Amino acid sequence: MTDLPLSGFTIGVTAARRAEEQIALLERRGATVVHAPALSVDPNRIDEAGLRAATEEVLAQPVDIFVATTGIGLKSWFTAAERWGRLDALTTHLSGAEILARGPKSVGALRRFGLRELWAPESEAFEDVLLHLRGRDLQGRRIVVQEHGQSLSLAAHALRRLGADVTTVAVYRVEGAADPEPMFGLIEAVAERRVHAVTFTAAPAIAAMMEAAGTTGHRDEVVSAFQADVIASCVGPVTAAAFEMWGVPSIYPDRSRLAAMVKQLEAELPSRAAGTSIDVAGHTLLLHGDDVLLDGVEVKLSPAPYAVLQALLVNPGTVVSRRDLLVALPSGTAGSEHAVEMAVARLRAALGTRVVQTVVKRGYRLAVAS
């Protein structure tokens, strides 16, 4: 079993839906899996009365543009309409509209019910659907948007400012996991670097994890761990975008599929375990696990300068602000930029003054060749 590509690696899985499939894919490759659902998504538990009222509102007037955002949401809506005896009326009504689909899953659901999309972005990002709409004359146009588990009220408001008449249809809402204990355990494991990667298949899962980390007082440690040691593995760019506000780098495959995400981890984790080696200020700097070697000589770093080095290594040569470095410092460190300056000074004392460059009014960077 030790020759399997993910042997020796521990991976956290935050998915609720299709979790068994993902866990099996990882375990077959030798990984140890920690399952901690971030969400409880049951699209069949919907507000029937609210959805039916929204459906009647859609049917009350002609629709110019219909935006389908998720396959599961669309199927749940149309299945409910079938129960009410309104499916034929709904699909016929929407067939006269210009149909936009966010991605292949919503395309598949549309075609299953006899509808055909006229356009879908290659990115599968809802933001690109909005960009597509903003470039057009929407004055007086009626747009129906099927929501994707989270409220799209802000997007609807932005379209209304362009003159559109917008109706949103909330099929289901994403809720947190019924039992938060596994997530609390995973948060502690991430903060303590006891997992090598965590997988995310939905943007709300990231928000839920960060919210849970905040309630336990570990958010800064979790962000720091993801910035340095723990891989945030996302199923696609839509999910990965949720990490941007936290300054967390993430990886995602070219195709937004579970198997592709696992395949990427097969390559990424062993590669990182082999060590990170870069040329900096005329020296060879190698990180292998917790070991730091400069020109082959081991350098001992205390937690604060080590955390700064890890943050600077996320994108070598890129400037990292003092504020972001402060977030990366271990918990218990003084909460001021002076603590960052002290950590940088200790790092320079250990590695050489030329290794870390100060970029005036912006922060610090490693002195790698541009």
Side-chain angles (χ1 to χ4, degrees):
M1 296 293 289
T2 56
D3 60 346
L4 295 174
L6 293 178
S7 292
F9 295 104
T10 300
I11 300 173
V13 170
T14 63
R17 293 179 52 247
R18 297 181 66 189
E20 295 80 5
E21 177 184 351
Q22 184 182 160
I23 291 169
L25 285 170
L26 292 167
E27 289 182 339
R28 281 202 296 268
R29 289 157 175 79
T32 299
V33 176
V34 177
H35 185 211
L39 305 171
S40 175
V41 182
D42 184 355
N44 295 315
R45 290 167 49 198
I46 59 179
D47 178 1
E48 287 267 340
L51 181 58
R52 186 160 189 173
T55 302
E56 296 302 329
E57 183 182 354
V58 169
L59 290 170
Q61 301 177 54
V63 178
D64 296 306
I65 300 172
F66 171 53
V67 180
T69 62
T70 63
I72 192 168
L74 201 63
K75 286 185 284 188
S76 297
W77 182 17
F78 287 175
T79 300
E82 188 173 30
R83 290 197 300 271
W84 310 326
R86 301 291 274 162
L87 178 60
D88 288 345
L90 181 59
T91 54
T92 299
H93 194 68
L94 294 175
S95 66
E98 175 186 349
I99 299 178
L100 310 179
R102 194 196 73 177
K105 292 181 180 179
S106 50
V107 166
L110 285 165
R111 295 183 182 181
R112 175 181 172 183
F113 288 93
L115 298 174
R116 190 88 183 185
E117 81 291 348
L118 293 181
W119 181 84
E122 292 185 5
S123 65
E124 303 181 28
F126 181 69
E127 289 76 9
D128 286 339
V129 178
L130 290 178
L131 181 63
H132 177 76
L133 288 171
R134 285 198 299 268
R136 300 169 50 180
D137 180 8
L138 300 179
Q139 191 66 42
R141 306 276 281 172
R142 186 171 187 234
I143 303 175
V144 171
V145 180
Q146 169 246 322
E147 293 187 341
H148 52 63
Q150 289 183 301
S151 174
L152 294 176
S153 59
L154 287 178
H157 182 71
L159 294 173
R160 290 186 187 109
R161 293 186 67 192
L162 298 175
D165 174 13
V166 183
T167 299
T168 58
V169 179
V171 182
Y172 62 90
R173 284 280 180 258
V174 174
E175 299 176 353
D179 180 8
E181 276 303 317
M183 177 53 65
F184 290 154
L186 178 58
I187 287 167
E188 291 175 356
V190 170
E192 296 169 9
R193 275 72 164 176
R194 288 188 280 108
V195 295
H196 299 92
V198 180
T199 64
F200 299 89
T201 56
I206 295 170
M209 183 177 194
M210 289 304 184
E211 181 180 358
T215 63
T216 58
H218 292 304
R219 183 179 292 158
D220 289 351
E221 296 163 89
V222 166
V223 170
S224 176
F226 278 132
Q227 288 176 331
D229 302 310
V230 181
I231 296 176
S233 173
C234 298
V235 75
V238 176
T239 301
F243 266 127
E244 291 178 0
M245 68 177 291
W246 302 104
V248 168
S250 59
I251 63 171
Y252 56 86
D254 292 334
R255 297 181 70 249
S256 300
R257 300 290 183 272
L258 277 180
M261 178 178 69
V262 172
K263 188 72 175 177
Q264 186 180 43
L265 279 174
E266 279 186 48
E268 191 72 22
L269 279 170
S271 173
R272 295 199 185 190
T276 300
S277 177
I278 63 169
D279 293 327
V280 53
H283 300 282
T284 298
L285 181 65
L286 173 66
L287 267 72
H288 189 286
D290 293 332
D291 297 327
V292 179
L293 288 84
L294 187 69
D295 296 331
V297 178
E298 185 176 2
V299 177
K300 294 295 185 182
L301 295 176
S302 57
Y306 181 78
V308 168
L309 178 60
Q310 291 278 23
L312 295 175
L313 279 168
V314 171
N315 289 300
T318 300
V319 178
V320 182
S321 70
R322 288 178 173 82
R323 180 179 178 182
D324 288 342
L325 289 176
L326 182 59
V327 170
L329 291 180
S331 60
T333 307
S336 70
E337 290 189 359
H338 177 66
V340 173
E341 294 167 2
M342 291 297 295
V344 170
R346 290 177 184 142
L347 182 60
R348 284 171 168 159
L351 301 180
T353 56
R354 295 173 53 213
V355 169
V356 179
Q357 295 176 333
T358 300
V359 181
V360 179
K361 296 184 179 180
R362 292 180 59 198
Y364 300 95
R365 64 182 291 273
L366 289 178
V368 298
S370 56

